[in-house]
Amino acid sequence: SPRKSKRGHSYANSLTNASGLVISKIGSLFNYLRYKMMDNSERGGSLKNIHAHYDLSNDLFTTFLDEETLMYSCAIYDAVKAPAPQTGLAFRGSLEQAQWRKLDTLLDRAQ
């Protein structure tokens, strides 16, 4: 039976580890051969994949990013003390204002 660590993890014997390695290598070889058999040349599959996944219109991104900068980054909201009875901070302002605050902060730090 496999040895167990103090935390309950099992450590298999060397035969089990070797067979796992062989199975992993067979899977890697299968994936490599499958890749080579597909049309993945620069003029073929790769360009098709790029266009299918990355050439999207801005309509998609404006649904979840601010419309002006389309910035995919952590915005910096104006944080104020939350009104009672809440505790902690409350964030005010729009996503657009928070994105511009982020850009202003980055430019201030760069100077």
Side-chain angles (χ1 to χ4, degrees), residues 76 104-111:
I76 300 176
D104 290 340
T105 302
L106 290 173
L107 290 172
D108 287 344
R109 290 182 182 177
Q111 293 177 1

Side-chain angles (χ1 to χ4, degrees), residues 14-64:
S14 59
L15 179 62
T16 305
N17 291 340
S19 64
L21 181 63
V22 169
I23 291 170
S24 172
K25 292 296 179 185
I26 290 171
S28 294
L29 176 65
F30 174 76
N31 286 334
Y32 175 77
L33 292 174
R34 187 175 58 144
Y35 170 78
K36 284 298 186 182
M37 289 170 47
M38 298 291 191
D39 181 20
N40 280 307
S41 65
E42 284 191 34
R43 291 175 293 228
S46 294
L47 285 178
K48 288 178 196 168
N49 288 335
I50 290 168
H51 291 298
H53 292 94
Y54 296 103
D55 288 349
L56 303 172
S57 72
N58 284 347
D59 295 338
L60 168 69
F61 299 105
T62 56
T63 61
F64 59 91

